[in-house]
């Protein structure tokens, strides 16, 4: 039997110590050089040992601070992959909702059942959606996106499906896509699946620096830039019109496609002009109704230049054939009768109330958030690490997310993302005060 390489044997030894509890979660491992001297191996071998442990999700490397043992009771990435929060208070997924949502659905289904040709909903639909529904959605977007032609609007099975449709229909494996240093985890998942290279671009508080984007374009060939300019996820920032115009100039100079994600844009009462209005010939706008209506209603849309329509339709055909007609029928009926507009107002008002509770419950902590959003970003300072806090919260039956799922850089900031849109408002202050106390205990 062939003997294992030395680096794997060393990794196995450390792995066993971690799994047997001899190296507790949060333990800082020796530097690569110190480990190499301790084990009498080359520095390159020590580096391979640590990389192997990272691959096994047993340690995490933090730029400038060292390598730490992970809590193996936690999923490797907290965010889109968190599925084991059964019985826990969930601050990972943003699940806004209200007491009247079920009544809204009942009324919508009654209206749908009494209207028109129900049998048509049981048949295959056009890949981009039925013409009259595309027209209704396009008309509803005028206040936020300006004049949108129904021919340039394609209906998808949610905003996430819209991102996947762009990745598979327009982008090619191996192409480089610029994104913020903190970005939406769902975009990262799509990029990884399609083999896209996500290039982090610096900025401040979720606002990409156009000069930094230009420098990246001069360093390497970029195909596109992914942005959440109106209510950034996770930081809640809104990009100014001046910055948008500067990014447009960079995109024009380097022939970049702009992917504009407007998932939370409805929360901003006075948004600057969208990219799809500023430069429609090189922007694909992604939107949806999950955040403004209900997360389980998977319906979204793309607004796209005409040249991309054939490839996007092919991607929709290959992935879902068409969005479910019952869902699109429900949503467009809610657009027409004013239910959607009311739901958006309710979500904004509810988010503002929750943000006020958050600010009261987490005094003296550095927060980034949009004033109407149901989530906040907590920056941890003074050498405080997120992972021990998350582990301690888990013991208190609260699940929260660290920065790793959102980060596009190797140097992951120490922070928490708290999504509290689905927590009963009567319980929210108590839950957030538990988070504050846990942070204070770990920081001591």
């Amino acid at each position: 039997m062939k003997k294992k390489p030395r680096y794997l044997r060393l990794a196995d030894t450390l792995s066993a110590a971690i799994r047997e509890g001899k190296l507790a979660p949060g333990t800082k491992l020796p530097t690569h050089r110190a480990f190499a001297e301790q084990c009498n191996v080359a520095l390159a071998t020590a580096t391979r040992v640590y990389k192997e442990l990272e691959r096994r999700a047993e340690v995490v490397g933090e730029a400038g601070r060292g390598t730490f043992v992970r809590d193996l009771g936690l999923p490797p990435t907290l965010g889109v992959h968190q599925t084991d929060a059964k019985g826990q208070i969930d601050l990972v997924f943003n699940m806004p909702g209200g007491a009247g949502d079920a009544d809204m659905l009942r009324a919508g289904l009654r209206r749908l059942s009494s209207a028109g040709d129900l049998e048509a909903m049981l048949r295959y639909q056009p890949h981009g959606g039925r013409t009259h529904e595309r027209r209704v959605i396009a008309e509803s977007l005028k206040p936020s996106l300006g004049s949108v032609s129904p021919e340039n609007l394609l209906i998808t099975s949610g905003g996430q499906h819209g991102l996947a449709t762009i990745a598979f229909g327009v982008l090619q494996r191996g192409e480089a896509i610029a994104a913020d240093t903190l970005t939406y985890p769902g975009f990262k998942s799509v990029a990884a699946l399609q083999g896209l290279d996500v290039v982090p671009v610096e900025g401040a508080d979720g606002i990409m620096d156009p000069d930094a984007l230009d420098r990246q374009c001069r360093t390497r060939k970029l195909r596109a830039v992914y942005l959440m300019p109106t209510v950034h996820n996770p930081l809640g920032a809104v990009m100014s019109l001046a910055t948008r115009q500067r990014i447009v100039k960079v995109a024009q100079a380097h022939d970049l496609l702009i992917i504009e994600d407007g998932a939370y844009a409805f929360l901003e009462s006075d948004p600057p002009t969208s990219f799809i209005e500023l430069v429609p010939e090189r922007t694909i706008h992604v939107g949806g109704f999950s955040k403004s209506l209900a997360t389980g209603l998977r319906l979204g849309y793309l607004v796209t230049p005409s040249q991309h329509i054939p490839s996007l339709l092919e991607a929709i055909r290959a992935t879902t054939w068409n969005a479910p007609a019952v869902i699109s029928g429900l949503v467009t009926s809610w657009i027409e009768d004013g239910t959607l507009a009311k739901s958006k107002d309710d979500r904004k008002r509810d988010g503002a109330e929750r943000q006020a509770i958050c600010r009261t419950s987490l005094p003296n902590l550095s927060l980034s958030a949009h004033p109407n959003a149901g989530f906040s970003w907590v920056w941890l300072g003074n050498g405080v690490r997120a992972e021990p806090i998350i582990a301690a919260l888990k013991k208190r039956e609260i699940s929260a997310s660290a920065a790793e799922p959102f980060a596009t850089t190797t140097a992951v900031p120490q922070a928490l993302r708290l999504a509290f849109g689905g927590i009963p408002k009567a319980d929210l202050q108590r839950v957030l005060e538990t988070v504050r106390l846990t942070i204070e205990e770990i920081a001591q």
Side-chain angles (χ1 to χ4, degrees), residues 70 73-85 90 92-93 160 184-190 192-193 399-401 404-406:
R70 286 193 70 257
L74 297 174
T77 55
L78 291 169
V80 292
H81 296 294
Q82 171 103 6
T83 58
D84 64 343
D90 190 353
V92 174
F93 288 106
Q160 181 68 28
Y184 170 49
F187 167 72
K188 290 176 59 181
S189 297
V190 165
L193 195 62
S399 60
S401 176
E404 183 184 356
F406 300 87

PDB file of all heavy atoms in Angstrom, residues 70 73-85 90 92-93 160 184-190 192-193 399-401 404-406:
ATOM      1  N   ARG A  70     -12.172  25.656  13.529  1.00  0.00           N
ATOM      2  CA  ARG A  70     -13.589  25.931  13.366  1.00  0.00           C
ATOM      3  C   ARG A  70     -14.411  25.135  14.372  1.00  0.00           C
ATOM      4  O   ARG A  70     -13.984  24.103  14.870  1.00  0.00           O
ATOM      5  CB  ARG A  70     -14.060  25.550  11.958  1.00  0.00           C
ATOM      6  CG  ARG A  70     -13.628  26.486  10.851  1.00  0.00           C
ATOM      7  CD  ARG A  70     -14.395  26.201   9.581  1.00  0.00           C
ATOM      8  NE  ARG A  70     -15.787  26.599   9.726  1.00  0.00           N
ATOM      9  CZ  ARG A  70     -16.800  25.762   9.944  1.00  0.00           C
ATOM     10  NH1 ARG A  70     -16.586  24.457  10.002  1.00  0.00           N
ATOM     11  NH2 ARG A  70     -18.016  26.203  10.102  1.00  0.00           N
ATOM     12  N   GLY A  73     -19.596  21.956  14.708  1.00  0.00           N
ATOM     13  CA  GLY A  73     -21.045  21.852  14.817  1.00  0.00           C
ATOM     14  C   GLY A  73     -21.774  22.833  13.927  1.00  0.00           C
ATOM     15  O   GLY A  73     -22.994  22.767  13.785  1.00  0.00           O
ATOM     16  N   LEU A  74     -21.019  23.763  13.323  1.00  0.00           N
ATOM     17  CA  LEU A  74     -21.612  24.751  12.432  1.00  0.00           C
ATOM     18  C   LEU A  74     -21.389  24.352  10.987  1.00  0.00           C
ATOM     19  O   LEU A  74     -20.374  23.736  10.669  1.00  0.00           O
ATOM     20  CB  LEU A  74     -20.982  26.135  12.665  1.00  0.00           C
ATOM     21  CG  LEU A  74     -21.190  26.753  14.042  1.00  0.00           C
ATOM     22  CD1 LEU A  74     -20.396  28.039  14.141  1.00  0.00           C
ATOM     23  CD2 LEU A  74     -22.659  27.019  14.296  1.00  0.00           C
ATOM     24  N   PRO A  75     -22.310  24.713  10.081  1.00  0.00           N
ATOM     25  CA  PRO A  75     -22.072  24.455   8.658  1.00  0.00           C
ATOM     26  C   PRO A  75     -20.832  25.210   8.206  1.00  0.00           C
ATOM     27  O   PRO A  75     -20.493  26.253   8.773  1.00  0.00           O
ATOM     28  CB  PRO A  75     -23.325  25.015   7.973  1.00  0.00           C
ATOM     29  CG  PRO A  75     -24.350  25.097   9.050  1.00  0.00           C
ATOM     30  CD  PRO A  75     -23.610  25.333  10.324  1.00  0.00           C
ATOM     31  N   PRO A  76     -20.111  24.738   7.203  1.00  0.00           N
ATOM     32  CA  PRO A  76     -18.909  25.415   6.723  1.00  0.00           C
ATOM     33  C   PRO A  76     -19.150  26.858   6.342  1.00  0.00           C
ATOM     34  O   PRO A  76     -18.307  27.704   6.565  1.00  0.00           O
ATOM     35  CB  PRO A  76     -18.492  24.589   5.499  1.00  0.00           C
ATOM     36  CG  PRO A  76     -19.062  23.235   5.756  1.00  0.00           C
ATOM     37  CD  PRO A  76     -20.354  23.486   6.472  1.00  0.00           C
ATOM     38  N   THR A  77     -20.286  27.161   5.744  1.00  0.00           N
ATOM     39  CA  THR A  77     -20.616  28.556   5.442  1.00  0.00           C
ATOM     40  C   THR A  77     -22.020  28.814   5.938  1.00  0.00           C
ATOM     41  O   THR A  77     -22.945  28.064   5.645  1.00  0.00           O
ATOM     42  CB  THR A  77     -20.559  28.842   3.937  1.00  0.00           C
ATOM     43  OG1 THR A  77     -21.407  27.917   3.259  1.00  0.00           O
ATOM     44  CG2 THR A  77     -19.155  28.712   3.408  1.00  0.00           C
ATOM     45  N   LEU A  78     -22.161  29.863   6.716  1.00  0.00           N
ATOM     46  CA  LEU A  78     -23.473  30.226   7.229  1.00  0.00           C
ATOM     47  C   LEU A  78     -24.071  31.245   6.286  1.00  0.00           C
ATOM     48  O   LEU A  78     -23.535  32.302   6.068  1.00  0.00           O
ATOM     49  CB  LEU A  78     -23.346  30.801   8.636  1.00  0.00           C
ATOM     50  CG  LEU A  78     -22.935  29.775   9.687  1.00  0.00           C
ATOM     51  CD1 LEU A  78     -22.577  30.465  10.970  1.00  0.00           C
ATOM     52  CD2 LEU A  78     -24.040  28.775   9.909  1.00  0.00           C
ATOM     53  N   GLY A  79     -25.188  30.968   5.727  1.00  0.00           N
ATOM     54  CA  GLY A  79     -25.800  31.848   4.754  1.00  0.00           C
ATOM     55  C   GLY A  79     -26.733  31.022   3.894  1.00  0.00           C
ATOM     56  O   GLY A  79     -27.653  30.397   4.400  1.00  0.00           O
ATOM     57  N   VAL A  80     -26.488  30.969   2.583  1.00  0.00           N
ATOM     58  CA  VAL A  80     -27.384  30.220   1.710  1.00  0.00           C
ATOM     59  C   VAL A  80     -27.355  28.729   1.999  1.00  0.00           C
ATOM     60  O   VAL A  80     -28.265  28.013   1.600  1.00  0.00           O
ATOM     61  CB  VAL A  80     -27.046  30.464   0.229  1.00  0.00           C
ATOM     62  CG1 VAL A  80     -27.355  31.893  -0.158  1.00  0.00           C
ATOM     63  CG2 VAL A  80     -25.603  30.131  -0.077  1.00  0.00           C
ATOM     64  N   HIS A  81     -26.315  28.230   2.683  1.00  0.00           N
ATOM     65  CA  HIS A  81     -26.227  26.795   2.952  1.00  0.00           C
ATOM     66  C   HIS A  81     -26.736  26.423   4.343  1.00  0.00           C
ATOM     67  O   HIS A  81     -26.664  25.275   4.721  1.00  0.00           O
ATOM     68  CB  HIS A  81     -24.780  26.320   2.808  1.00  0.00           C
ATOM     69  CG  HIS A  81     -24.256  26.476   1.410  1.00  0.00           C
ATOM     70  ND1 HIS A  81     -24.752  25.770   0.349  1.00  0.00           N
ATOM     71  CD2 HIS A  81     -23.293  27.285   0.914  1.00  0.00           C
ATOM     72  CE1 HIS A  81     -24.116  26.116  -0.754  1.00  0.00           C
ATOM     73  NE2 HIS A  81     -23.240  27.036  -0.442  1.00  0.00           N
ATOM     74  N   GLN A  82     -27.208  27.390   5.131  1.00  0.00           N
ATOM     75  CA  GLN A  82     -27.672  27.077   6.482  1.00  0.00           C
ATOM     76  C   GLN A  82     -29.030  26.402   6.389  1.00  0.00           C
ATOM     77  O   GLN A  82     -30.034  27.032   6.087  1.00  0.00           O
ATOM     78  CB  GLN A  82     -27.782  28.358   7.321  1.00  0.00           C
ATOM     79  CG  GLN A  82     -28.459  28.145   8.667  1.00  0.00           C
ATOM     80  CD  GLN A  82     -27.485  28.111   9.806  1.00  0.00           C
ATOM     81  OE1 GLN A  82     -26.322  28.357   9.621  1.00  0.00           O
ATOM     82  NE2 GLN A  82     -27.954  27.818  10.986  1.00  0.00           N
ATOM     83  N   THR A  83     -29.062  25.109   6.665  1.00  0.00           N
ATOM     84  CA  THR A  83     -30.319  24.373   6.583  1.00  0.00           C
ATOM     85  C   THR A  83     -30.639  23.630   7.873  1.00  0.00           C
ATOM     86  O   THR A  83     -31.652  22.959   7.954  1.00  0.00           O
ATOM     87  CB  THR A  83     -30.259  23.341   5.444  1.00  0.00           C
ATOM     88  OG1 THR A  83     -29.161  22.449   5.675  1.00  0.00           O
ATOM     89  CG2 THR A  83     -30.085  24.030   4.097  1.00  0.00           C
ATOM     90  N   ASP A  84     -29.788  23.757   8.876  1.00  0.00           N
ATOM     91  CA  ASP A  84     -29.995  22.933  10.075  1.00  0.00           C
ATOM     92  C   ASP A  84     -30.416  23.776  11.276  1.00  0.00           C
ATOM     93  O   ASP A  84     -30.075  23.480  12.399  1.00  0.00           O
ATOM     94  CB  ASP A  84     -28.710  22.166  10.405  1.00  0.00           C
ATOM     95  CG  ASP A  84     -27.556  23.099  10.772  1.00  0.00           C
ATOM     96  OD1 ASP A  84     -27.636  24.294  10.469  1.00  0.00           O
ATOM     97  OD2 ASP A  84     -26.591  22.607  11.377  1.00  0.00           O
ATOM     98  N   ALA A  85     -31.189  24.831  11.027  1.00  0.00           N
ATOM     99  CA  ALA A  85     -31.581  25.716  12.111  1.00  0.00           C
ATOM    100  C   ALA A  85     -32.911  25.308  12.733  1.00  0.00           C
ATOM    101  O   ALA A  85     -33.586  26.126  13.330  1.00  0.00           O
ATOM    102  CB  ALA A  85     -31.669  27.154  11.595  1.00  0.00           C
ATOM    103  N   ASP A  90     -34.146  32.074  13.761  1.00  0.00           N
ATOM    104  CA  ASP A  90     -33.363  32.191  12.532  1.00  0.00           C
ATOM    105  C   ASP A  90     -33.094  33.653  12.186  1.00  0.00           C
ATOM    106  O   ASP A  90     -33.986  34.382  11.768  1.00  0.00           O
ATOM    107  CB  ASP A  90     -34.113  31.512  11.386  1.00  0.00           C
ATOM    108  CG  ASP A  90     -33.250  31.385  10.133  1.00  0.00           C
ATOM    109  OD1 ASP A  90     -32.147  31.940  10.125  1.00  0.00           O
ATOM    110  OD2 ASP A  90     -33.689  30.730   9.183  1.00  0.00           O
ATOM    111  N   VAL A  92     -30.580  34.150   9.996  1.00  0.00           N
ATOM    112  CA  VAL A  92     -29.793  33.946   8.781  1.00  0.00           C
ATOM    113  C   VAL A  92     -30.587  34.359   7.556  1.00  0.00           C
ATOM    114  O   VAL A  92     -30.129  35.157   6.736  1.00  0.00           O
ATOM    115  CB  VAL A  92     -29.338  32.478   8.658  1.00  0.00           C
ATOM    116  CG1 VAL A  92     -28.646  32.234   7.325  1.00  0.00           C
ATOM    117  CG2 VAL A  92     -28.402  32.125   9.804  1.00  0.00           C
ATOM    118  N   PHE A  93     -31.792  33.805   7.420  1.00  0.00           N
ATOM    119  CA  PHE A  93     -32.612  34.089   6.252  1.00  0.00           C
ATOM    120  C   PHE A  93     -33.572  35.236   6.539  1.00  0.00           C
ATOM    121  O   PHE A  93     -34.227  35.257   7.586  1.00  0.00           O
ATOM    122  CB  PHE A  93     -33.408  32.851   5.839  1.00  0.00           C
ATOM    123  CG  PHE A  93     -32.557  31.781   5.223  1.00  0.00           C
ATOM    124  CD1 PHE A  93     -32.241  30.636   5.932  1.00  0.00           C
ATOM    125  CD2 PHE A  93     -32.053  31.928   3.944  1.00  0.00           C
ATOM    126  CE1 PHE A  93     -31.456  29.650   5.369  1.00  0.00           C
ATOM    127  CE2 PHE A  93     -31.262  30.944   3.368  1.00  0.00           C
ATOM    128  CZ  PHE A  93     -30.956  29.811   4.081  1.00  0.00           C
ATOM    129  N   GLN A 160     -33.297  34.848  -8.088  1.00  0.00           N
ATOM    130  CA  GLN A 160     -32.155  33.933  -8.123  1.00  0.00           C
ATOM    131  C   GLN A 160     -32.107  33.191  -9.455  1.00  0.00           C
ATOM    132  O   GLN A 160     -31.034  33.018 -10.042  1.00  0.00           O
ATOM    133  CB  GLN A 160     -32.240  32.944  -6.959  1.00  0.00           C
ATOM    134  CG  GLN A 160     -31.088  31.949  -6.886  1.00  0.00           C
ATOM    135  CD  GLN A 160     -29.756  32.603  -6.541  1.00  0.00           C
ATOM    136  OE1 GLN A 160     -29.714  33.639  -5.883  1.00  0.00           O
ATOM    137  NE2 GLN A 160     -28.666  32.007  -6.966  1.00  0.00           N
ATOM    138  N   TYR A 184     -23.962  39.507  -2.546  1.00  0.00           N
ATOM    139  CA  TYR A 184     -25.046  38.561  -2.305  1.00  0.00           C
ATOM    140  C   TYR A 184     -24.547  37.116  -2.474  1.00  0.00           C
ATOM    141  O   TYR A 184     -24.013  36.755  -3.532  1.00  0.00           O
ATOM    142  CB  TYR A 184     -26.177  38.862  -3.282  1.00  0.00           C
ATOM    143  CG  TYR A 184     -27.286  37.854  -3.334  1.00  0.00           C
ATOM    144  CD1 TYR A 184     -27.905  37.386  -2.179  1.00  0.00           C
ATOM    145  CD2 TYR A 184     -27.743  37.377  -4.567  1.00  0.00           C
ATOM    146  CE1 TYR A 184     -28.933  36.465  -2.244  1.00  0.00           C
ATOM    147  CE2 TYR A 184     -28.778  36.457  -4.636  1.00  0.00           C
ATOM    148  CZ  TYR A 184     -29.365  36.000  -3.476  1.00  0.00           C
ATOM    149  OH  TYR A 184     -30.381  35.082  -3.542  1.00  0.00           O
ATOM    150  N   PRO A 185     -24.708  36.258  -1.470  1.00  0.00           N
ATOM    151  CA  PRO A 185     -24.231  34.874  -1.579  1.00  0.00           C
ATOM    152  C   PRO A 185     -24.846  34.093  -2.736  1.00  0.00           C
ATOM    153  O   PRO A 185     -24.196  33.211  -3.307  1.00  0.00           O
ATOM    154  CB  PRO A 185     -24.619  34.255  -0.227  1.00  0.00           C
ATOM    155  CG  PRO A 185     -24.733  35.407   0.708  1.00  0.00           C
ATOM    156  CD  PRO A 185     -25.243  36.544  -0.122  1.00  0.00           C
ATOM    157  N   GLY A 186     -26.085  34.404  -3.094  1.00  0.00           N
ATOM    158  CA  GLY A 186     -26.713  33.713  -4.206  1.00  0.00           C
ATOM    159  C   GLY A 186     -26.005  33.973  -5.522  1.00  0.00           C
ATOM    160  O   GLY A 186     -25.926  33.090  -6.387  1.00  0.00           O
ATOM    161  N   PHE A 187     -25.469  35.164  -5.687  1.00  0.00           N
ATOM    162  CA  PHE A 187     -24.679  35.458  -6.878  1.00  0.00           C
ATOM    163  C   PHE A 187     -23.392  34.654  -6.863  1.00  0.00           C
ATOM    164  O   PHE A 187     -22.970  34.108  -7.895  1.00  0.00           O
ATOM    165  CB  PHE A 187     -24.365  36.952  -6.954  1.00  0.00           C
ATOM    166  CG  PHE A 187     -23.304  37.287  -7.962  1.00  0.00           C
ATOM    167  CD1 PHE A 187     -23.564  37.209  -9.325  1.00  0.00           C
ATOM    168  CD2 PHE A 187     -22.027  37.648  -7.552  1.00  0.00           C
ATOM    169  CE1 PHE A 187     -22.569  37.494 -10.260  1.00  0.00           C
ATOM    170  CE2 PHE A 187     -21.037  37.935  -8.474  1.00  0.00           C
ATOM    171  CZ  PHE A 187     -21.311  37.856  -9.829  1.00  0.00           C
ATOM    172  N   LYS A 188     -22.753  34.556  -5.705  1.00  0.00           N
ATOM    173  CA  LYS A 188     -21.536  33.748  -5.600  1.00  0.00           C
ATOM    174  C   LYS A 188     -21.811  32.288  -5.958  1.00  0.00           C
ATOM    175  O   LYS A 188     -20.996  31.640  -6.628  1.00  0.00           O
ATOM    176  CB  LYS A 188     -20.963  33.845  -4.179  1.00  0.00           C
ATOM    177  CG  LYS A 188     -20.360  35.192  -3.824  1.00  0.00           C
ATOM    178  CD  LYS A 188     -19.900  35.226  -2.371  1.00  0.00           C
ATOM    179  CE  LYS A 188     -18.869  34.163  -2.054  1.00  0.00           C
ATOM    180  NZ  LYS A 188     -18.441  34.185  -0.639  1.00  0.00           N
ATOM    181  N   SER A 189     -22.956  31.772  -5.529  1.00  0.00           N
ATOM    182  CA  SER A 189     -23.301  30.375  -5.827  1.00  0.00           C
ATOM    183  C   SER A 189     -23.456  30.159  -7.327  1.00  0.00           C
ATOM    184  O   SER A 189     -22.952  29.176  -7.881  1.00  0.00           O
ATOM    185  CB  SER A 189     -24.606  29.995  -5.118  1.00  0.00           C
ATOM    186  OG  SER A 189     -24.464  30.058  -3.722  1.00  0.00           O
ATOM    187  N   VAL A 190     -24.157  31.077  -7.987  1.00  0.00           N
ATOM    188  CA  VAL A 190     -24.341  30.971  -9.433  1.00  0.00           C
ATOM    189  C   VAL A 190     -23.005  31.062 -10.153  1.00  0.00           C
ATOM    190  O   VAL A 190     -22.719  30.292 -11.081  1.00  0.00           O
ATOM    191  CB  VAL A 190     -25.300  32.084  -9.921  1.00  0.00           C
ATOM    192  CG1 VAL A 190     -25.236  32.233 -11.436  1.00  0.00           C
ATOM    193  CG2 VAL A 190     -26.728  31.781  -9.485  1.00  0.00           C
ATOM    194  N   ALA A 192     -20.047  30.312  -9.044  1.00  0.00           N
ATOM    195  CA  ALA A 192     -19.263  29.094  -8.831  1.00  0.00           C
ATOM    196  C   ALA A 192     -19.770  27.961  -9.708  1.00  0.00           C
ATOM    197  O   ALA A 192     -18.984  27.196 -10.284  1.00  0.00           O
ATOM    198  CB  ALA A 192     -19.319  28.700  -7.355  1.00  0.00           C
ATOM    199  N   LEU A 193     -21.083  27.842  -9.834  1.00  0.00           N
ATOM    200  CA  LEU A 193     -21.663  26.763 -10.632  1.00  0.00           C
ATOM    201  C   LEU A 193     -21.309  26.903 -12.112  1.00  0.00           C
ATOM    202  O   LEU A 193     -21.080  25.910 -12.801  1.00  0.00           O
ATOM    203  CB  LEU A 193     -23.181  26.758 -10.458  1.00  0.00           C
ATOM    204  CG  LEU A 193     -23.932  25.508 -10.910  1.00  0.00           C
ATOM    205  CD1 LEU A 193     -23.499  24.284 -10.119  1.00  0.00           C
ATOM    206  CD2 LEU A 193     -25.437  25.715 -10.746  1.00  0.00           C
ATOM    207  N   SER A 399     -29.580  31.246  15.415  1.00  0.00           N
ATOM    208  CA  SER A 399     -28.635  31.067  14.314  1.00  0.00           C
ATOM    209  C   SER A 399     -28.414  32.410  13.632  1.00  0.00           C
ATOM    210  O   SER A 399     -29.351  33.159  13.387  1.00  0.00           O
ATOM    211  CB  SER A 399     -29.152  30.038  13.306  1.00  0.00           C
ATOM    212  OG  SER A 399     -30.380  30.457  12.753  1.00  0.00           O
ATOM    213  N   ALA A 400     -27.152  32.711  13.356  1.00  0.00           N
ATOM    214  CA  ALA A 400     -26.778  33.960  12.694  1.00  0.00           C
ATOM    215  C   ALA A 400     -25.685  33.663  11.679  1.00  0.00           C
ATOM    216  O   ALA A 400     -25.082  32.590  11.678  1.00  0.00           O
ATOM    217  CB  ALA A 400     -26.307  34.994  13.717  1.00  0.00           C
ATOM    218  N   SER A 401     -25.416  34.619  10.815  1.00  0.00           N
ATOM    219  CA  SER A 401     -24.437  34.426   9.750  1.00  0.00           C
ATOM    220  C   SER A 401     -23.218  35.309   9.969  1.00  0.00           C
ATOM    221  O   SER A 401     -23.332  36.464  10.385  1.00  0.00           O
ATOM    222  CB  SER A 401     -25.061  34.761   8.396  1.00  0.00           C
ATOM    223  OG  SER A 401     -24.096  34.666   7.369  1.00  0.00           O
ATOM    224  N   GLU A 404     -18.367  35.367   5.941  1.00  0.00           N
ATOM    225  CA  GLU A 404     -17.782  34.507   4.913  1.00  0.00           C
ATOM    226  C   GLU A 404     -18.682  34.280   3.696  1.00  0.00           C
ATOM    227  O   GLU A 404     -18.210  34.378   2.557  1.00  0.00           O
ATOM    228  CB  GLU A 404     -17.377  33.158   5.518  1.00  0.00           C
ATOM    229  CG  GLU A 404     -16.686  32.245   4.522  1.00  0.00           C
ATOM    230  CD  GLU A 404     -16.381  30.878   5.125  1.00  0.00           C
ATOM    231  OE1 GLU A 404     -16.630  30.678   6.324  1.00  0.00           O
ATOM    232  OE2 GLU A 404     -15.903  30.018   4.377  1.00  0.00           O
ATOM    233  N   PRO A 405     -19.987  33.997   3.859  1.00  0.00           N
ATOM    234  CA  PRO A 405     -20.800  33.752   2.659  1.00  0.00           C
ATOM    235  C   PRO A 405     -20.907  34.961   1.743  1.00  0.00           C
ATOM    236  O   PRO A 405     -21.164  34.818   0.552  1.00  0.00           O
ATOM    237  CB  PRO A 405     -22.174  33.392   3.238  1.00  0.00           C
ATOM    238  CG  PRO A 405     -21.922  32.986   4.635  1.00  0.00           C
ATOM    239  CD  PRO A 405     -20.758  33.795   5.088  1.00  0.00           C
ATOM    240  N   PHE A 406     -20.708  36.159   2.285  1.00  0.00           N
ATOM    241  CA  PHE A 406     -20.867  37.391   1.518  1.00  0.00           C
ATOM    242  C   PHE A 406     -19.547  37.894   0.939  1.00  0.00           C
ATOM    243  O   PHE A 406     -19.548  38.739   0.051  1.00  0.00           O
ATOM    244  CB  PHE A 406     -21.456  38.492   2.417  1.00  0.00           C
ATOM    245  CG  PHE A 406     -22.797  38.151   2.996  1.00  0.00           C
ATOM    246  CD1 PHE A 406     -22.895  37.449   4.189  1.00  0.00           C
ATOM    247  CD2 PHE A 406     -23.967  38.522   2.350  1.00  0.00           C
ATOM    248  CE1 PHE A 406     -24.142  37.122   4.731  1.00  0.00           C
ATOM    249  CE2 PHE A 406     -25.203  38.198   2.868  1.00  0.00           C
ATOM    250  CZ  PHE A 406     -25.287  37.495   4.061  1.00  0.00           C
TER     251      PHE A 406
END
